[in-house]
Amino acid sequence: MSYDPENVFAKILRGEIPCDKVYENEHVLAFRDIAPQAPIHVLVVPKGPYVSTDDFSAKANDAEQAALSRAIGEVARITGAAEDGYRVIANTGTNGRQEVPHLHFHILGGKLLGRMLPKD
Ligand code: AMP
């Protein structure tokens, strides 16, 4: 799948759409999900044009990969999610039900979360 520069997170990264920013570094932006599914729900996205974890893991350079990993931990601490634990999710592709085709990690916390997957 080729990268679509008109996806909503690309527009946020270009400043064309506002976001509730919680963290930024050279390679990463993190902002609150517009439809939170937990008291803490933040999306961590690379600034580079990567569709998914599949794309990113294959193509991103070491600095981008390290920055994203560090950012996930930073965001969890900044938001307070790290205090009692949290979940990191990267929905990928059709089976993963990824809706926005720009890689993003969901950080969910602030309450005891439900099962990782429904039983269906
Ligand atoms: P996914 O199904 O993993 O692709 O999740 C996409 C997420 O992006 C959903 O949780 C949406 O609520 C969130 N989202 C969509 N548009 C925006 C936006 N403009 N600002 C913040 N979050 C958004």
Side-chain angles (χ1 to χ4, degrees), residues 37-39 84-87 108-115:
Q37 295 183 45
D84 294 315
Y86 58 98
R87 185 172 293 158
L108 297 144
K111 72 169 188 179
L112 183 59
L113 301 169
R115 297 174 60 88

Side-chain angles (χ1 to χ4, degrees), residues 8-9 12 17 31-35 37 41 43 91 97-100 104 106:
V8 65
F9 295 167
I12 287 173
I17 292 176
F31 50 89
R32 294 192 190 277
D33 195 291
I34 203 166
Q37 295 183 45
H41 187 173
L43 303 172
N91 296 320
R97 295 202 175 190
Q98 180 179 0
E99 291 176 3
V100 178
H104 50 284
H106 297 255

Side-chain angles (χ1 to χ4, degrees), residues 1 3 12 15 35 44 49 54 56 58 64 66 71-72 75 79 81 83-84 86-87 93 100 110 116:
M1 185 189 203
Y3 184 77
I12 287 173
V44 180
D54 187 52
F56 184 79
E64 292 173 306
I72 289 170
V75 167
T79 57
E83 287 168 23
D84 294 315
Y86 58 98
R87 185 172 293 158
V100 178
M116 187 168 72

Side-chain angles (χ1 to χ4, degrees), residues 27-109:
H27 296 293
V28 177
L29 180 68
F31 50 89
R32 294 192 190 277
D33 195 291
I34 203 166
Q37 295 183 45
I40 299 167
H41 187 173
V42 175
L43 303 172
V44 180
V45 311
K47 291 183 176 177
Y50 301 105
V51 175
S52 66
T53 44
D54 187 52
D55 193 25
F56 184 79
S57 62
K59 297 180 188 162
N61 65 35
D62 289 355
E64 292 173 306
Q65 305 233 17
L68 187 67
S69 174
R70 296 269 188 215
I72 289 170
E74 280 291 319
V75 167
R77 287 185 287 274
I78 289 168
T79 57
E83 287 168 23
D84 294 315
Y86 58 98
R87 185 172 293 158
V88 181
I89 297 174
N91 296 320
T92 304
T94 303
N95 281 0
R97 295 202 175 190
Q98 180 179 0
E99 291 176 3
V100 178
H102 182 114
L103 172 60
H104 50 284
F105 284 79
H106 297 255
I107 297 182
L108 297 144

